[in-house]
Amino acid sequence: ILRASFGAAAGRDLREPRVVVAPTSAATWDLSDEVNMANGAVNPTTGRPWARSDAQAMWPYGLDGFTNPANGDIYINAKKALPSTLAHELLHANASPDFLRLVGVTLNEGVTEQLALDALAASGVKAEKRACYPQERELASAIAERSGRDLLVRAYFNGGADLDALVAAVGADTLANVKNTAAAGQVGQALRMAQAA
């Protein structure tokens, strides 16, 4: 499904990482803690190195899935995953790490979720009725409006020159302001910035 939707934009064959299905939310939290501690991740909420129980504290209602940025392995919560979860995580595993660094977590999640939903819809697979990341997807839409969707998709997968072209189309200051404002938890304000710029 993802190859059919995005293979041409990526300009390469999308990889198929290892997928681990965790049987419960507790198992998914434990795996997230293990992966984040092994990667030397810093908890963005506390500012300290990731520790046991941080995943449960961050996602108290459960974590649908996550991708290990170090090796691309995907972890799916068998009890909570939505129809778009696997597609979403596969997209993370195939995205340019430069894209995330440049645009930040909020916009990255919005683009990823929208691309997952678009690919499922194009293939005729029904996704959940209430999709995840509604504000983040609005922000992604506002950026796509400024840059053009095709350029945004190429930048997402390829980084490099495509990412440079995205910055030129949207504006370096606009992207930085949107990223920083969203990271401060003010996604609505970030959306207004993206729309007004």
Side-chain angles (χ1 to χ4, degrees):
I1 290 171
L2 296 178
R3 284 186 181 122
S5 289
F6 306 117
R12 60 182 159 75
D13 196 26
L14 300 181
R15 66 184 176 137
E16 295 180 30
R18 181 174 76 114
V19 177
V20 176
V21 179
T24 64
S25 289
T28 309
W29 288 323
D30 288 345
L31 287 166
S32 177
D33 287 339
E34 287 173 20
V35 166
N36 280 305
M37 288 186 303
N39 290 341
V42 172
N43 182 321
T45 304
T46 65
R48 61 173 170 69
W50 201 278
R52 288 254 171 245
S53 300
D54 278 0
Q56 185 173 0
M58 189 166 285
W59 300 284
Y61 300 107
L63 177 60
D64 296 352
F66 67 94
T67 300
N68 182 344
N71 63 13
D73 286 353
I74 293 171
Y75 299 82
I76 301 293
N77 181 339
K79 296 287 186 197
K80 264 196 74 51
L82 300 168
S84 67
T85 301
L86 183 57
H88 180 105
E89 298 304 332
L90 282 166
L91 285 164
H92 276 317
N94 281 282
S96 166
D98 294 337
F99 184 83
L100 170 60
R101 281 192 285 274
L102 181 83
V103 305
V105 172
T106 304
L107 181 55
N108 184 59
E109 290 296 346
V111 172
T112 302
E113 184 67 7
Q114 192 59 57
L115 294 180
L117 294 170
D118 291 348
L120 293 175
S123 71
V125 173
K126 291 190 184 244
E128 55 272 15
K129 289 182 181 171
R130 285 190 8 202
C132 296
Y133 300 109
Q135 284 188 305
E136 294 84 348
R137 287 185 296 112
E138 280 186 69
L139 185 58
S141 178
I143 296 297
E145 190 75 25
R146 297 181 56 75
S147 68
R149 183 181 185 276
D150 290 343
L151 177 57
L152 179 61
V153 171
R154 289 194 317 272
Y156 178 84
F157 284 106
N158 303 323
D162 290 323
L163 192 55
D164 292 343
L166 177 72
V167 172
V170 175
D173 289 343
T174 297
L175 278 174
N177 289 336
V178 165
K179 173 185 176 181
N180 294 334
T181 303
Q186 299 170 337
V187 181
Q189 185 176 341
L191 175 60
R192 289 188 291 280
M193 289 174 166
Q195 292 169 330

Short mmCIF file of all heavy atoms in Angstrom, two decimals, residues 32 57 72 143 146 158 162 166 186:
data_model
loop_
_atom_site.label_atom_id
_atom_site.label_comp_id
_atom_site.label_asym_id
_atom_site.label_seq_id
_atom_site.Cartn_x
_atom_site.Cartn_y
_atom_site.Cartn_z
N SER A 32 8.97 0.17 24.95
CA SER A 32 9.32 1.56 24.68
C SER A 32 10.39 2.05 25.64
O SER A 32 11.36 2.70 25.23
CB SER A 32 8.07 2.46 24.78
OG SER A 32 8.42 3.81 24.58
N ALA A 57 4.04 6.90 31.94
CA ALA A 57 3.74 8.26 32.40
C ALA A 57 3.42 9.18 31.21
O ALA A 57 2.54 10.03 31.31
CB ALA A 57 4.92 8.81 33.19
N GLY A 72 14.93 1.11 12.99
CA GLY A 72 13.70 1.03 12.21
C GLY A 72 12.73 -0.03 12.66
O GLY A 72 11.65 -0.16 12.08
N ILE A 143 1.09 23.49 6.07
CA ILE A 143 2.43 23.51 5.46
C ILE A 143 2.35 23.02 4.02
O ILE A 143 2.98 23.59 3.12
CB ILE A 143 3.43 22.68 6.30
CG1 ILE A 143 3.62 23.31 7.69
CG2 ILE A 143 4.76 22.52 5.57
CD1 ILE A 143 4.22 24.70 7.70
N ARG A 146 1.29 25.62 1.64
CA ARG A 146 2.35 26.59 1.29
C ARG A 146 3.39 26.00 0.35
O ARG A 146 3.92 26.69 -0.51
CB ARG A 146 3.04 27.09 2.56
CG ARG A 146 2.11 27.85 3.50
CD ARG A 146 2.84 28.33 4.72
NE ARG A 146 3.99 29.15 4.41
CZ ARG A 146 3.95 30.42 3.99
NH1 ARG A 146 2.78 31.00 3.82
NH2 ARG A 146 5.05 31.08 3.74
N ASN A 158 12.96 11.90 1.54
CA ASN A 158 14.31 12.02 0.99
C ASN A 158 15.24 12.96 1.72
O ASN A 158 16.45 12.82 1.60
CB ASN A 158 14.22 12.46 -0.48
CG ASN A 158 13.36 11.51 -1.30
OD1 ASN A 158 13.38 10.31 -1.10
ND2 ASN A 158 12.59 12.06 -2.22
N ASP A 162 15.42 17.94 -1.48
CA ASP A 162 13.98 18.12 -1.35
C ASP A 162 13.62 18.87 -0.07
O ASP A 162 12.72 19.71 -0.06
CB ASP A 162 13.26 16.77 -1.39
CG ASP A 162 13.31 16.12 -2.77
OD1 ASP A 162 13.22 16.84 -3.78
OD2 ASP A 162 13.44 14.88 -2.83
N LEU A 166 11.80 22.50 0.40
CA LEU A 166 10.67 22.74 1.31
C LEU A 166 10.93 23.97 2.16
O LEU A 166 10.05 24.82 2.33
CB LEU A 166 10.43 21.51 2.20
CG LEU A 166 9.32 21.66 3.24
CD1 LEU A 166 7.95 21.64 2.57
CD2 LEU A 166 9.42 20.57 4.29
N GLN A 186 1.79 24.68 22.01
CA GLN A 186 0.85 25.66 21.47
C GLN A 186 0.59 25.36 19.99
O GLN A 186 0.94 26.15 19.11
CB GLN A 186 1.40 27.07 21.68
CG GLN A 186 1.60 27.39 23.15
CD GLN A 186 2.38 28.68 23.34
OE1 GLN A 186 3.11 29.13 22.48
NE2 GLN A 186 2.19 29.27 24.52
#
